[in-house]
Amino acid sequence: MALLYGLIWRLLLILVHINRALVSWVRVRLRSWIGRLWERAIAALLLPLALAGFPDHQKKLNHNPDANAVTGNRAASRRSRWLSDGRSLEKLPVHVGLLVAEEEPSYTDIANLVVWCMAVGISYVSVYDNHGIFRKNNSRMLEEVVRQQQDLLGVDGSKYNVEVLSNSCDKHQHYVVSCRPTVKVLSPEDGKQSIVQAAQQLCRAVENKERSSKDISVSMLDVLLRESKNFPDPELVVKFGPVDSTLGFLPWHIRLTEFISIPSHRNVSYEDLLNALQQYGSCQQRLGQ
Amino acid sequence: MSWIKEDELNLLEKISANVLKAGPMPKHVAFIMDGNRRFARKKHMERQEGHMQGFNKLAETLRWCKHLNIQEVTVYAFSIENFKRTKDEVDGLMELAKQKFLKLLDERDNLEKHGVCVRVLGDLEMLPLDLQELIAKAVITTKSHNKCFLNVCFAYTSRYEITNAVREMAWGVEKGLIRASDVSEALLSECLYSSNSPNPDLLIRTSGEVRLSDFLLWQTSHSCLVFQSVLWPEYSFWNLCEAILQYQLNYKSIQKARDLHQEHQALLQLEADRACVAEHLQHHGNGKPADAQRRQEALLHYTTCREERIQDFLEALKHKRDSYFSDLCSKDVLA
């Protein structure tokens, strides 16, 4: 009997996996089909116009071999489109966490996500994986982000100066107000381990009779944990991958964080991110009341 | 309504339960029972009635968990943030809690028969004294039961819990029971309100919200999180099965992440112990660098002493917590 149940259970899991694969396949096909339909519709509408009028405009384009100007225009229009997307959202998070719960992360896709977040108007972006791979490859992450910035936002991306912070540099960064979007690379050490370090610090102060145990309060611990991060709590965490867990991401800071999942970060599109942000916009926080 | 429901599962439910049990089952499930007020609005009833329905659903869910061999359940009944609600609603909830704990004491024989141990986690000093006394009685009455465990988080937030754990460790340092260097992730976990329970394997939040709202943030860092859109009073056996299936699909990858984390923790502890030993040898050595053998012996000795210190400290902490409850009980007897 137990064998029979075991068999049915395995069958059930297979069915769920097939269902998931089908759903994601359909979603991809639908998106590309809709995309092509849209392109064809636009082409059908604009073609007669292009043939009939605006011959000068056509000539201008043909006679302008400066590729940079064209890409520059494209980048500028992308930038303004993304900025207006951000403004049209009901609410925009100040700090977004990108939690990658997949093996072998793709730096290009993560860099894309970071650049899109900044372009939409998000001030703080943190990137996390539970193996600490991003942390170990901090410089490579920075390179990718800068590269994608230039690709997607054009050469004039100076507005979006990226600061990639890691724990070691924090002590040297002192700025009171930062309007520049900031990227932080996190690993499991920034989670429970930093709470333990703060606890050790407080206990050492008690050991040295500088403090009493009764003085320790939530706000005191909060200040200590914020000192080494200098970031507001993430309002939104976008989780990539099939694992339904926070995998040790900043336990103290996620008390009111909304969690939205995207199946994978590989070949993720801007629309995926925008969808997640729109979903976030519709969340209502009652804060206990 | 009662805390214990005795009905059996119907045939289809039994078969489904057996199919699920063929795979890995969570041993500890946590619930954020959200949606009582929205349910009341939907059914045009009073808010208080919505909360009552919520409690009934809790009793039903405990029965399902028993049939699914889920030994431990933790529920988020009242957050410290909920004190911000209107006085009427807060008083109503306190009254409801008092009634429910009185009922629990009434049913103590039934609880003994089923071996149900009830624990209440939170900053209980924030509650009205009469409720604290009832809670103390309920906890002490069911303390020795060990077949299944129900943890009710009342006047609880995770940040307060973590801060309290840090305060307790600082108290241990003040009393000379432990040193600041003994503070570790494992020790902090032992000082939380939930120290008698393993970490939850599965956390379920109902009503469609996708946040943790300051619930078990430390303990659920490597748990399977399932967010379901059904309102809590409408929760069904099939919703629970769906959540468990999610857990089973995530089991391997979460287990891998947990093991990785534990390995890392063990490594950190070893490094910390080595650092302490090195410092000690430097101060008390005779100027010559210690050989590997001596270092190893010193390390073993230090680790043993540290573990003894920590055991004594945890005993003292347990005694402190038990006294809190027994004092409340005796106060009531004297009154």
Side-chain angles (χ1 to χ4, degrees):
Chain A
M1 206 54 181
L3 271 167
L4 179 65
Y5 286 129
L7 223 65
I8 301 177
W9 178 74
R10 259 173 260 276
L11 198 66
L12 187 61
L13 255 84
I14 291 173
L15 279 170
V16 173
H17 281 302
I18 291 177
N19 181 38
R20 278 192 185 169
L22 263 169
V23 166
S24 73
W25 180 84
V26 166
R27 195 185 293 135
V28 167
R29 297 286 288 199
L30 201 68
R31 189 186 301 153
S32 75
W33 180 76
I34 288 178
R36 272 181 282 140
L37 208 66
W38 186 243
E39 274 170 24
R40 276 191 223 143
I42 294 292
L45 277 171
L46 292 180
L47 191 59
L49 289 170
L51 287 175
F54 317 118
D56 297 319
H57 185 71
Q58 196 82 323
K59 276 195 211 137
K60 265 193 210 144
L61 276 176
N62 285 335
H63 291 162
N64 195 345
D66 188 358
N68 263 347
V70 175
T71 46
N73 278 336
R74 234 181 290 160
S77 70
R78 265 202 300 254
R79 267 210 315 273
S80 61
R81 178 184 136 212
W82 287 337
L83 205 59
S84 66
D85 280 340
R87 291 214 183 96
S88 69
L89 290 170
E90 253 180 76
K91 54 176 175 163
L92 198 62
V94 176
H95 175 185
V96 170
L98 303 173
L99 204 170
V100 181
E102 288 174 286
E103 308 283 325
E104 287 165 32
S106 148
Y107 290 89
T108 314
D109 289 308
I110 298 292
N112 278 340
L113 284 160
V114 168
V115 172
W116 289 328
C117 282
M118 297 188 313
V120 148
I122 296 169
S123 320
Y124 298 92
V125 181
S126 46
V127 179
Y128 175 91
D129 78 297
N130 78 311
H131 294 280
I133 296 176
F134 290 141
R135 176 65 85 75
K136 284 191 205 122
N137 297 300
N138 212 348
S139 47
R140 186 170 159 199
M141 177 66 79
L142 172 62
E143 274 170 36
E144 264 310 314
V145 172
V146 168
R147 192 179 312 147
Q148 289 308 114
Q149 221 183 292
Q150 299 205 328
D151 274 351
L152 297 172
L153 299 177
V155 179
D156 179 33
S158 56
K159 249 206 303 173
Y160 304 98
N161 263 332
V162 168
E163 284 201 50
V164 179
L165 299 176
S166 68
N167 257 355
S168 50
C169 328
D170 267 13
K171 302 198 182 75
H172 306 295
Q173 315 275 24
H174 290 290
Y175 43 90
V176 178
V177 175
S178 166
C179 333
R180 290 185 297 176
T182 323
V183 179
K184 181 119 190 179
V185 177
L186 299 171
S187 72
E189 283 155 17
D190 301 292
K192 285 187 175 176
Q193 199 50 35
S194 63
I195 300 176
V196 170
Q197 278 165 1
Q200 270 176 342
Q201 203 179 320
L202 289 169
C203 286
R204 252 178 264 128
V206 168
E207 209 167 40
N208 298 332
K209 307 268 192 288
E210 290 160 19
R211 219 190 260 292
S212 153
S213 66
K214 293 194 181 47
D215 297 337
I216 297 174
S217 65
V218 175
S219 45
M220 188 183 287
L221 203 50
D222 196 39
V223 162
L224 267 177
L225 289 167
R226 209 154 300 289
E227 193 180 63
S228 64
K229 297 283 170 285
N230 215 16
F231 261 42
D233 288 344
E235 285 105 333
L236 168 65
V237 160
V238 184
K239 187 179 67 64
F240 301 93
V243 186
D244 294 315
S245 171
T246 57
L247 297 175
F249 179 84
L250 297 184
W252 178 268
H253 301 80
I254 54 171
R255 70 179 179 113
L256 294 175
T257 307
E258 306 283 345
F259 290 90
I260 293 178
S261 294
I262 293 181
S264 175
H265 75 294
R266 273 183 253 286
N267 300 320
V268 65
S269 72
Y270 168 74
E271 279 72 34
D272 292 329
L273 180 65
L274 191 61
N275 274 337
L277 291 171
Q278 281 164 344
Q279 226 181 307
Y280 167 77
S282 61
C283 288
Q284 277 181 326
Q285 293 234 347
R286 290 175 294 277
L287 299 169
Q289 283 167 317
Chain B
M1 281 287 266
S2 164
W3 284 73
I4 306 251
K5 285 207 155 67
E6 307 247 355
D7 349 337
E8 291 291 320
L9 299 174
N10 66 37
L11 183 64
L12 191 58
E13 286 170 349
K14 261 200 203 126
I15 294 177
S16 311
N18 282 334
V19 169
L20 280 178
K21 282 193 256 189
M25 291 295 282
K27 296 186 196 59
H28 180 182
V29 178
F31 288 94
I32 301 182
M33 309 181 292
D34 201 5
N36 293 337
R37 293 186 295 177
R38 269 168 281 177
F39 174 79
R41 259 202 309 271
K42 184 169 150 187
K43 301 281 178 193
H44 309 291
M45 31 165 92
E46 289 293 316
R47 268 187 182 177
Q48 193 67 1
E49 181 61 29
H51 290 302
M52 291 278 290
Q53 292 294 334
F55 177 80
N56 293 341
K57 187 53 66 175
L58 172 60
E60 219 181 328
T61 307
L62 293 175
R63 178 190 47 114
W64 296 328
C65 288
K66 173 174 163 289
H67 288 299
L68 289 163
N69 293 345
I70 296 171
Q71 245 203 333
E72 189 146 11
V73 171
T74 302
V75 296
Y76 202 4
F78 191 84
S79 162
I80 294 179
E81 303 287 326
N82 294 147
F83 278 119
K84 288 191 225 162
R85 294 183 180 180
T86 61
K87 186 172 184 308
D88 278 341
E89 193 175 347
V90 174
D91 288 345
L93 287 166
M94 295 294 139
E95 227 359 88
L96 179 63
K98 272 182 229 165
Q99 281 171 25
K100 292 308 167 192
F101 280 108
L102 275 167
K103 189 87 176 66
L104 188 149
L105 291 167
D106 262 343
E107 297 182 314
R108 61 164 69 100
D109 292 333
N110 210 2
L111 287 167
E112 190 173 336
K113 172 176 149 204
H114 292 273
V116 181
C117 172
V118 177
R119 299 186 196 123
V120 181
L121 317 180
D123 282 29
L124 304 176
E125 310 86 43
M126 292 186 169
L127 300 168
L129 194 59
D130 49 357
L131 181 53
Q132 284 186 52
E133 284 166 3
L134 278 173
I135 288 174
K137 268 209 222 126
V139 166
I140 290 188
T141 311
T142 60
K143 200 166 155 185
S144 54
H145 305 162
N146 59 2
K147 283 225 204 91
C148 48
F149 302 90
L150 170 64
N151 306 310
V152 181
C153 289
F154 215 85
Y156 173 95
T157 61
S158 195
R159 282 193 179 181
Y160 270 74
E161 184 186 26
I162 295 172
T163 307
N164 184 66
V166 175
R167 215 182 287 127
E168 301 285 27
M169 290 192 293
W171 170 77
V173 167
E174 245 168 17
K175 292 269 173 288
L177 294 165
I178 49 168
R179 300 183 199 166
S181 56
D182 295 337
V183 169
S184 68
E185 200 178 303
L187 184 59
L188 208 154
S189 299
E190 292 286 343
C191 296
L192 297 168
Y193 297 136
S194 62
S195 56
N196 289 320
S197 314
N199 288 338
D201 297 307
L202 172 60
L203 171 65
I204 298 171
R205 179 167 190 156
T206 55
S207 86
E209 306 294 351
V210 289
R211 52 184 181 267
L212 296 172
S213 298
D214 224 338
F215 183 57
L216 301 179
L217 300 173
W218 179 278
Q219 296 91 326
T220 58
S221 63
H222 289 84
S223 306
C224 180
L225 304 179
V226 175
F227 297 108
Q228 298 181 288
S229 50
V230 62
L231 298 173
W232 174 250
E234 294 174 330
Y235 204 67
S236 75
F237 179 73
W238 305 109
N239 292 127
L240 182 57
C241 287
E242 188 192 329
I244 293 176
L245 194 61
Q246 280 275 77
Y247 166 80
Q248 293 177 329
L249 289 163
N250 278 286
Y251 181 73
K252 281 215 184 90
S253 36
I254 290 186
Q255 202 56 38
K256 210 169 114 180
R258 267 193 191 181
D259 291 341
L260 184 71
H261 184 78
Q262 263 167 345
E263 265 174 41
H264 189 68
Q265 238 189 301
L267 218 73
L268 281 172
Q269 184 67 74
L270 189 61
E271 271 172 34
D273 283 349
R274 281 216 179 105
C276 285
V277 165
E279 204 184 314
H280 179 89
L281 285 175
Q282 213 180 14
H283 283 159
H284 300 274
N286 49 9
K288 281 190 275 187
D291 60 12
Q293 167 118 359
R294 186 148 172 253
R295 270 204 307 269
Q296 194 58 25
E297 280 170 13
L299 183 65
L300 216 63
H301 176 77
Y302 176 81
T303 309
T304 317
C305 289
R306 178 178 55 75
E307 282 167 4
E308 261 177 44
R309 265 199 311 270
I310 287 176
Q311 274 312 110
D312 291 340
F313 161 67
L314 292 175
E315 276 295 322
L317 184 60
K318 182 172 177 299
H319 182 79
K320 191 163 81 143
R321 287 182 172 166
D322 289 342
S323 322
Y324 164 76
F325 285 119
S326 49
D327 286 348
L328 277 168
C329 266
S330 56
K331 198 184 293 178
D332 185 51
V333 167
L334 286 171

